[in-house]
Amino acid sequence: MKTQRDRTGAFTRRGLGLAAAGVAASVLLGPSASWAQEKTSANLAMIGEPQSLDPMASTADLVSIIMQHVYEPLFTFDSHSAVQPMLAAKSPEISADGKTYTIEIRRGVKFHNGRELDSEDVVASLKRWVDLTPRGKALAKSITSISAKGPSTVEIVLSEPQPALLAHLALPSGFAVIMAKESIANPLVEFIGTGPYKFRERKPDQYVVLVKNEAYSSRGEPGDGYAGKREAKIDELRFIPVPNANTRVEGVIAGQYQFADQLPVESYKKVSTASGVNAVLTMPYGFPYIPTNTKQGPMADPKIRQAFQMALNTEELLLAAFGEPKFFTVTGEHFPKGSPFNSTADVDKYNKGDPDGAKKLLAEAKYDGSPIRILNSKQYDFHHRMALMMAEQLKAAGFKVSLDVVDWSTLVQRRGDPALWDVYITHSAFMPDPMLSPPQLGDGAPGWWKTPAKDAALAAFNGESDPAKRGPLWGKVQQVIYDEVPYIRVGNFAALSGVSGKMKGYTPMMMPAFWNVELTK
């Protein structure tokens, strides 16, 4: 059994199911069978057809997975979720008030059309990102100007500090990629980036083909997560839409695909014991969490929320959700070791599973027996399985419980009305910066958590622009979360992929990347 684990930061994934379930073998050969016989070519089975090849026009991860090989950002994340320069020459100079970022651009980097990258390309690309993407639009209210200050210097001026700015620029979801300014259009018709692969051809519902960029200008640092050296060791990458999960499983086992993404956890044994294929777990991939309604109903009482937290055995919840411990991690630390935001603050309040302690808190709160309405959906099976287990734990602690099972779209609608729920179950991809997820850390998200302690902890955290000083300030925010229980972060869970034994050097990451990977015969 060959299994790899990794703690690389992770990002949001949205499933796409727009293509036909199977792909004929003749299609897999693509447009250049004779060319592929002479050079290495990898068939990569993805979860569906990309909505677009414009990484700013879609926040779907599938789009970013493909186009991160073609386009590059100014900054990216290393394997510990720390922001590192990519097309930027180095970390930016940040003014003392945290409002001005001066960014030097790497010199000698060429676009796929042969022209050298300059600051005007960066300015045009970032302005498009601000206008087009959800995260860019959200930041736009704080951005005063984006301008070139010479051929290799860009200045971003803010009206207020935004310490997560670099994380937003690095996050490959609604990607702040840099593209040749002459190629910018809505919609894009040319895909001209600086990455290790160039766009060659797309046939909808069949494949997207990328080929090695022979003129690629790599960074010199060792590869580390998405950061550092990138080398195209496989000559051709073919991203093939295979929305049927069983087809992806059977195809990678048969050798039809060299990589198969997002396999069902139930296929782990079959994939891990098959000849010539490795079962690869990406951990952490995401985390389930349970927001509480702090606005009205029984959960508006902080002591009842604390009793709720004390009653939960999160290990049992994760076992109910994912079946085997290999697919999850029981951890009260919101960020893993190695992350600049790793903290053990108040983790002793996590995974208590103490019904007697919870009963005592309920008595102190004078809980009147009002049912705790657990809003959940069977469309995510692991949500519903957690809801069933949680209901039993809460009953054992003296809570009355009501399970409200709805379809996901109804849940999304109902969670916006504080009269309709007390807790609900959801999940997020693992985000490398705290302010990227969950939304309850902001204002106005379902749960409506807003207290002086929250405001003070986040003001200190978000008021610090120096990444080295900002990281340790997360511990205070984590402490307030455990004190006030606006949500329960249940733990981490993994994603399963199948990788051919002939594919060497693949590193499990949330957004699978195929630079620095080679294919042996």
Side-chain angles (χ1 to χ4, degrees):
M1 181 171 67
K2 305 179 182 70
T3 304
Q4 302 174 29
R5 292 178 182 270
D6 185 68
R7 286 190 174 272
T8 305
F11 309 95
T12 309
R13 180 174 300 277
R14 295 171 172 85
L16 298 176
L18 306 179
V23 180
S26 60
V27 168
L28 296 181
L29 290 175
S32 52
S34 62
W35 184 89
Q37 290 171 0
E38 299 171 4
K39 298 190 177 184
T40 55
S41 182
N43 291 326
L44 312 170
M46 310 310 291
I47 61 171
E49 173 74 7
Q51 294 172 317
S52 167
L53 294 183
D54 182 348
M56 293 186 190
S58 174
T59 57
D61 287 359
L62 181 56
V63 177
S64 295
I65 288 170
I66 297 172
M67 299 310 285
Q68 68 180 337
H69 297 81
V70 175
Y71 292 109
E72 294 177 303
L74 290 174
F75 301 95
T76 192
F77 294 104
D78 66 19
S79 61
H80 298 297
S81 301
V83 175
Q84 302 292 349
M86 179 49 66
L87 288 178
K90 57 184 180 180
S91 296
E93 295 180 8
I94 305 174
S95 62
D97 63 3
K99 296 180 182 180
T100 301
Y101 288 65
T102 303
I103 303 169
E104 293 295 322
I105 311 302
R106 284 168 54 205
R107 300 191 181 198
V109 175
K110 291 187 177 180
F111 284 109
H112 298 152
N113 62 6
R115 185 175 63 75
E116 187 168 330
L117 165 73
D118 63 28
S119 58
E120 296 292 346
D121 298 295
V122 175
V123 170
S125 298
L126 293 185
K127 286 184 175 180
R128 183 177 192 260
W129 177 75
V130 166
D131 290 340
L132 201 59
T133 69
R135 293 190 185 278
K137 289 177 180 178
L139 285 172
K141 62 183 180 181
S142 301
I143 297 176
T144 301
S145 64
I146 303 172
S147 58
K149 300 295 181 182
S152 300
T153 305
V154 171
E155 182 182 81
I156 301 175
V157 179
L158 306 173
S159 59
E160 59 183 352
Q162 289 286 346
L165 174 64
L166 298 185
H168 283 288
L169 293 177
L171 185 68
S173 175
F175 213 175
V177 297
I178 306 305
M179 50 187 66
K181 58 180 180 287
E182 62 271 22
S183 71
I184 292 177
N186 290 316
L188 288 181
V189 293
E190 295 181 287
F191 306 100
I192 302 175
T194 59
Y197 285 89
K198 298 189 290 186
F199 172 76
R200 179 173 181 178
E201 184 179 10
R202 177 188 186 184
K203 286 197 173 181
D205 298 337
Q206 295 185 26
Y207 51 71
V208 174
V209 177
L210 310 181
V211 296
K212 180 178 181 178
N213 174 17
E214 299 287 355
Y216 178 64
S217 177
S218 175
R219 294 197 69 89
E221 303 93 337
D224 181 18
Y226 300 97
K229 183 179 181 179
R230 296 180 175 183
E231 183 180 359
K233 295 183 177 181
I234 301 173
D235 296 297
E236 180 184 76
L237 303 178
R238 297 183 192 145
F239 294 89
I240 301 166
V242 188
N244 185 284
N246 289 330
T247 303
R248 295 198 299 277
V249 170
E250 297 300 331
V252 75
I253 289 174
Q256 190 176 21
Y257 312 124
Q258 284 70 55
F259 175 85
D261 200 19
Q262 291 294 292
L263 304 183
V265 295
E266 293 82 4
S267 68
Y268 178 82
K269 183 176 181 180
K270 184 174 186 177
V271 176
S272 64
T273 57
S275 176
V277 62
N278 297 330
V280 177
L281 292 174
T282 302
M283 174 69 85
Y285 177 82
F287 59 93
Y289 68 102
I290 308 166
T292 61
N293 184 347
T294 70
K295 190 171 185 178
Q296 70 181 73
M299 287 291 177
D301 185 331
K303 188 154 287 188
I304 291 179
R305 297 200 300 272
Q306 290 167 0
F308 171 66
Q309 178 172 254
M310 186 169 287
L312 295 187
N313 181 320
T314 54
E315 184 172 7
E316 289 183 351
L317 295 183
L318 290 165
L319 272 170
F322 301 106
E324 293 188 50
K326 65 170 64 72
F327 300 123
F328 63 83
T329 302
V330 183
T331 176
E333 300 170 19
H334 289 202
F335 291 85
K337 289 179 174 61
S339 165
F341 306 108
N342 176 253
S343 173
T344 59
D346 271 21
V347 295
D348 60 318
K349 296 178 180 176
Y350 169 80
N351 192 32
K352 296 295 286 186
D354 181 358
D356 291 335
K359 285 179 181 177
K360 183 178 178 180
L361 288 172
L362 287 180
E364 293 174 3
K366 298 181 180 179
Y367 170 59
D368 64 4
S370 297
I372 303 301
R373 295 162 298 174
I374 303 173
L375 185 61
N376 69 103
S377 174
K378 285 186 177 180
Q379 283 178 262
Y380 290 101
D381 283 344
F382 71 98
H383 290 189
H384 185 59
R385 291 194 292 266
M386 279 196 297
L388 294 174
M389 176 60 71
M390 182 169 67
E392 296 307 309
Q393 292 179 2
L394 294 180
K395 290 174 185 176
F399 286 94
K400 289 188 178 179
V401 176
S402 171
L403 282 170
D404 189 2
V405 185
V406 298
D407 63 79
W408 183 249
S409 62
T410 300
L411 185 148
V412 170
Q413 182 181 38
R414 289 190 183 180
R415 70 186 180 186
D417 185 343
L420 298 180
W421 61 277
D422 298 301
V423 303
Y424 72 90
I425 299 177
T426 186
H427 71 279
S428 171
F430 181 82
M431 294 289 186
D433 187 277
M435 296 315 295
L436 301 180
S437 181
Q440 283 71 23
L441 289 171
D443 291 333
W448 304 278
W449 178 46
K450 187 169 180 60
T451 66
K454 172 192 178 180
D455 291 346
L458 285 173
F461 179 66
N462 288 323
E464 179 55 68
S465 297
D466 185 341
K469 295 178 181 178
R470 184 169 177 252
L473 293 172
W474 168 253
K476 180 60 178 176
V477 182
Q478 182 174 294
Q479 182 181 353
V480 174
I481 292 169
Y482 276 115
D483 286 345
E484 301 192 347
V485 202
Y487 59 88
I488 302 287
R489 193 183 187 283
V490 182
N492 295 329
F493 66 90
L496 174 65
S497 300
V499 181
S500 168
K502 296 180 180 180
M503 185 171 277
K504 307 298 182 182
Y506 175 77
T507 300
M509 296 190 289
M510 173 59 192
M511 298 283 191
F514 301 96
W515 55 78
N516 301 339
V517 177
E518 59 184 319
L519 197 60
T520 61
K521 295 184 178 180

